[in-house]
mmCIF file of all heavy atoms in Angstrom:
data_model
loop_
_atom_site.group_PDB
_atom_site.id
_atom_site.type_symbol
_atom_site.label_atom_id
_atom_site.label_comp_id
_atom_site.label_asym_id
_atom_site.label_seq_id
_atom_site.Cartn_x
_atom_site.Cartn_y
_atom_site.Cartn_z
ATOM 1 N N LEU K 4 -5.340 16.785 -21.703
ATOM 2 C CA LEU K 4 -5.442 15.502 -21.032
ATOM 3 C C LEU K 4 -6.573 14.676 -21.626
ATOM 4 O O LEU K 4 -7.505 15.215 -22.222
ATOM 5 C CB LEU K 4 -5.690 15.705 -19.540
ATOM 6 C CG LEU K 4 -4.551 16.298 -18.718
ATOM 7 C CD1 LEU K 4 -5.006 16.507 -17.287
ATOM 8 C CD2 LEU K 4 -3.320 15.390 -18.754
ATOM 9 N N PHE K 5 -6.477 13.378 -21.448
ATOM 10 C CA PHE K 5 -7.544 12.494 -21.898
ATOM 11 C C PHE K 5 -8.810 12.828 -21.114
ATOM 12 O O PHE K 5 -8.785 12.879 -19.882
ATOM 13 C CB PHE K 5 -7.153 11.035 -21.655
ATOM 14 C CG PHE K 5 -7.959 10.048 -22.444
ATOM 15 C CD1 PHE K 5 -7.536 9.593 -23.673
ATOM 16 C CD2 PHE K 5 -9.178 9.581 -21.949
ATOM 17 C CE1 PHE K 5 -8.289 8.676 -24.398
ATOM 18 C CE2 PHE K 5 -9.936 8.677 -22.656
ATOM 19 C CZ PHE K 5 -9.502 8.217 -23.892
ATOM 20 N N PRO K 6 -9.933 13.074 -21.774
ATOM 21 C CA PRO K 6 -11.147 13.503 -21.062
ATOM 22 C C PRO K 6 -11.681 12.434 -20.116
ATOM 23 O O PRO K 6 -11.644 11.233 -20.406
ATOM 24 C CB PRO K 6 -12.145 13.788 -22.198
ATOM 25 C CG PRO K 6 -11.305 13.975 -23.419
ATOM 26 C CD PRO K 6 -10.117 13.086 -23.237
ATOM 27 N N PHE K 7 -12.207 12.877 -18.992
ATOM 28 C CA PHE K 7 -12.796 11.980 -17.997
ATOM 29 C C PHE K 7 -13.978 11.219 -18.582
ATOM 30 O O PHE K 7 -14.142 10.029 -18.356
ATOM 31 C CB PHE K 7 -13.224 12.814 -16.791
ATOM 32 C CG PHE K 7 -13.661 12.014 -15.597
ATOM 33 C CD1 PHE K 7 -12.739 11.577 -14.669
ATOM 34 C CD2 PHE K 7 -14.997 11.709 -15.396
ATOM 35 C CE1 PHE K 7 -13.126 10.841 -13.566
ATOM 36 C CE2 PHE K 7 -15.402 10.977 -14.296
ATOM 37 C CZ PHE K 7 -14.467 10.541 -13.380
ATOM 38 N N ILE K 10 -13.414 7.916 -20.957
ATOM 39 C CA ILE K 10 -12.867 6.651 -20.466
ATOM 40 C C ILE K 10 -13.979 5.602 -20.420
ATOM 41 O O ILE K 10 -15.059 5.851 -19.883
ATOM 42 C CB ILE K 10 -12.233 6.832 -19.083
ATOM 43 C CG1 ILE K 10 -11.069 7.828 -19.183
ATOM 44 C CG2 ILE K 10 -11.746 5.504 -18.517
ATOM 45 C CD1 ILE K 10 -10.436 8.176 -17.867
ATOM 46 N N MET K 16 -15.099 3.049 -10.729
ATOM 47 C CA MET K 16 -14.054 4.004 -10.370
ATOM 48 C C MET K 16 -14.509 5.434 -10.618
ATOM 49 O O MET K 16 -14.294 6.333 -9.797
ATOM 50 C CB MET K 16 -12.788 3.697 -11.167
ATOM 51 C CG MET K 16 -11.632 4.638 -10.868
ATOM 52 S SD MET K 16 -10.142 4.181 -11.788
ATOM 53 C CE MET K 16 -9.088 5.582 -11.414
ATOM 54 N N LEU K 20 -14.824 8.306 -7.634
ATOM 55 C CA LEU K 20 -14.090 9.564 -7.723
ATOM 56 C C LEU K 20 -15.031 10.759 -7.736
ATOM 57 O O LEU K 20 -14.793 11.776 -7.071
ATOM 58 C CB LEU K 20 -13.223 9.564 -8.987
ATOM 59 C CG LEU K 20 -12.017 8.617 -8.998
ATOM 60 C CD1 LEU K 20 -11.350 8.631 -10.359
ATOM 61 C CD2 LEU K 20 -11.024 9.012 -7.909
ATOM 62 N N THR K 40 -5.149 -0.331 -16.785
ATOM 63 C CA THR K 40 -6.604 -0.181 -16.655
ATOM 64 C C THR K 40 -7.012 1.285 -16.495
ATOM 65 O O THR K 40 -8.066 1.569 -15.957
ATOM 66 C CB THR K 40 -7.114 -0.998 -15.459
ATOM 67 O OG1 THR K 40 -6.319 -0.719 -14.297
ATOM 68 C CG2 THR K 40 -7.039 -2.488 -15.749
ATOM 69 N N ALA K 41 -6.179 2.204 -16.933
ATOM 70 C CA ALA K 41 -6.490 3.642 -16.969
ATOM 71 C C ALA K 41 -6.714 4.236 -15.584
ATOM 72 O O ALA K 41 -7.450 5.211 -15.450
ATOM 73 C CB ALA K 41 -7.701 3.903 -17.873
ATOM 74 N N LYS K 42 -6.079 3.677 -14.567
ATOM 75 C CA LYS K 42 -6.251 4.219 -13.221
ATOM 76 C C LYS K 42 -5.708 5.645 -13.148
ATOM 77 O O LYS K 42 -6.405 6.576 -12.738
ATOM 78 C CB LYS K 42 -5.538 3.321 -12.203
ATOM 79 C CG LYS K 42 -6.042 1.888 -12.146
ATOM 80 C CD LYS K 42 -5.438 1.097 -11.024
ATOM 81 C CE LYS K 42 -3.934 0.949 -11.140
ATOM 82 N NZ LYS K 42 -3.533 0.109 -12.277
ATOM 83 N N SER K 43 -4.448 5.814 -13.534
ATOM 84 C CA SER K 43 -3.827 7.139 -13.453
ATOM 85 C C SER K 43 -4.485 8.117 -14.421
ATOM 86 O O SER K 43 -4.650 9.303 -14.102
ATOM 87 C CB SER K 43 -2.327 7.033 -13.750
ATOM 88 O OG SER K 43 -1.686 6.189 -12.814
ATOM 89 N N THR K 44 -4.863 7.634 -15.589
ATOM 90 C CA THR K 44 -5.494 8.513 -16.584
ATOM 91 C C THR K 44 -6.785 9.119 -16.046
ATOM 92 O O THR K 44 -7.039 10.319 -16.187
ATOM 93 C CB THR K 44 -5.783 7.721 -17.872
ATOM 94 O OG1 THR K 44 -4.555 7.208 -18.393
ATOM 95 C CG2 THR K 44 -6.441 8.602 -18.910
ATOM 96 N N MET K 45 -7.608 8.312 -15.392
ATOM 97 C CA MET K 45 -8.876 8.813 -14.878
ATOM 98 C C MET K 45 -8.676 9.772 -13.713
ATOM 99 O O MET K 45 -9.377 10.784 -13.610
ATOM 100 C CB MET K 45 -9.770 7.646 -14.470
ATOM 101 C CG MET K 45 -11.117 8.070 -13.915
ATOM 102 S SD MET K 45 -12.292 6.708 -13.750
ATOM 103 C CE MET K 45 -12.799 6.498 -15.446
ATOM 104 N N VAL K 46 -7.714 9.489 -12.851
ATOM 105 C CA VAL K 46 -7.483 10.387 -11.707
ATOM 106 C C VAL K 46 -7.004 11.748 -12.192
ATOM 107 O O VAL K 46 -7.466 12.799 -11.715
ATOM 108 C CB VAL K 46 -6.456 9.760 -10.744
ATOM 109 C CG1 VAL K 46 -6.092 10.749 -9.646
ATOM 110 C CG2 VAL K 46 -7.012 8.486 -10.140
ATOM 111 N N ARG K 47 -6.089 11.760 -13.142
ATOM 112 C CA ARG K 47 -5.576 13.045 -13.646
ATOM 113 C C ARG K 47 -6.648 13.818 -14.396
ATOM 114 O O ARG K 47 -6.627 15.047 -14.422
ATOM 115 C CB ARG K 47 -4.362 12.790 -14.543
ATOM 116 C CG ARG K 47 -3.165 12.228 -13.791
ATOM 117 C CD ARG K 47 -1.923 12.174 -14.653
ATOM 118 N NE ARG K 47 -0.773 11.718 -13.884
ATOM 119 C CZ ARG K 47 -0.284 10.491 -13.904
ATOM 120 N NH1 ARG K 47 -0.868 9.568 -14.679
ATOM 121 N NH2 ARG K 47 0.756 10.160 -13.175
ATOM 122 N N ALA K 48 -7.582 13.105 -15.007
ATOM 123 C CA ALA K 48 -8.655 13.787 -15.730
ATOM 124 C C ALA K 48 -9.722 14.325 -14.799
ATOM 125 O O ALA K 48 -10.503 15.207 -15.189
ATOM 126 C CB ALA K 48 -9.284 12.832 -16.744
ATOM 127 N N LEU K 49 -9.764 13.822 -13.555
ATOM 128 C CA LEU K 49 -10.811 14.248 -12.627
ATOM 129 C C LEU K 49 -10.739 15.738 -12.326
ATOM 130 O O LEU K 49 -11.770 16.413 -12.249
ATOM 131 C CB LEU K 49 -10.693 13.443 -11.326
ATOM 132 C CG LEU K 49 -11.630 13.855 -10.187
ATOM 133 C CD1 LEU K 49 -13.088 13.593 -10.570
ATOM 134 C CD2 LEU K 49 -11.276 13.098 -8.901
ATOM 135 N N TYR K 136 -2.797 13.066 -5.089
ATOM 136 C CA TYR K 136 -2.774 11.782 -5.795
ATOM 137 C C TYR K 136 -1.454 11.069 -5.546
ATOM 138 O O TYR K 136 -0.371 11.640 -5.732
ATOM 139 C CB TYR K 136 -2.972 12.018 -7.295
ATOM 140 C CG TYR K 136 -2.802 10.778 -8.146
ATOM 141 C CD1 TYR K 136 -3.388 9.575 -7.782
ATOM 142 C CD2 TYR K 136 -2.050 10.811 -9.317
ATOM 143 C CE1 TYR K 136 -3.227 8.435 -8.553
ATOM 144 C CE2 TYR K 136 -1.894 9.680 -10.102
ATOM 145 C CZ TYR K 136 -2.485 8.499 -9.706
ATOM 146 O OH TYR K 136 -2.324 7.367 -10.470
ATOM 147 N N THR K 180 -3.695 4.912 -6.121
ATOM 148 C CA THR K 180 -3.830 3.778 -7.035
ATOM 149 C C THR K 180 -2.720 2.791 -6.731
ATOM 150 O O THR K 180 -1.620 3.168 -6.305
ATOM 151 C CB THR K 180 -3.744 4.212 -8.503
ATOM 152 O OG1 THR K 180 -2.502 4.915 -8.730
ATOM 153 C CG2 THR K 180 -4.898 5.126 -8.857
ATOM 154 N N ARG K 218 -8.236 5.526 -27.623
ATOM 155 C CA ARG K 218 -6.856 5.849 -27.279
ATOM 156 C C ARG K 218 -6.052 6.241 -28.506
ATOM 157 O O ARG K 218 -5.268 7.206 -28.484
ATOM 158 C CB ARG K 218 -6.204 4.647 -26.593
ATOM 159 C CG ARG K 218 -4.806 4.943 -26.072
ATOM 160 C CD ARG K 218 -4.846 5.983 -24.979
ATOM 161 N NE ARG K 218 -3.529 6.547 -24.708
ATOM 162 C CZ ARG K 218 -3.297 7.423 -23.732
ATOM 163 N NH1 ARG K 218 -4.280 7.834 -22.967
ATOM 164 N NH2 ARG K 218 -2.086 7.890 -23.539
ATOM 165 N N TYR K 221 -7.015 9.708 -29.590
ATOM 166 C CA TYR K 221 -6.443 10.736 -28.720
ATOM 167 C C TYR K 221 -4.972 10.982 -29.046
ATOM 168 O O TYR K 221 -4.513 12.135 -29.106
ATOM 169 C CB TYR K 221 -6.593 10.316 -27.259
ATOM 170 C CG TYR K 221 -5.802 11.160 -26.299
ATOM 171 C CD1 TYR K 221 -6.218 12.442 -25.953
ATOM 172 C CD2 TYR K 221 -4.608 10.681 -25.745
ATOM 173 C CE1 TYR K 221 -5.475 13.230 -25.082
ATOM 174 C CE2 TYR K 221 -3.866 11.448 -24.867
ATOM 175 C CZ TYR K 221 -4.299 12.724 -24.540
ATOM 176 O OH TYR K 221 -3.565 13.499 -23.679
#
Side-chain angles (χ1 to χ4, degrees):
L4 292 176
F5 198 93
F7 189 87
I10 298 175
M16 180 178 172
L20 290 174
T40 49
K42 299 187 298 292
S43 300
T44 300
M45 180 168 283
V46 174
R47 294 188 176 100
L49 174 65
Y136 173 45
T180 56
R218 186 65 195 184
Y221 168 75

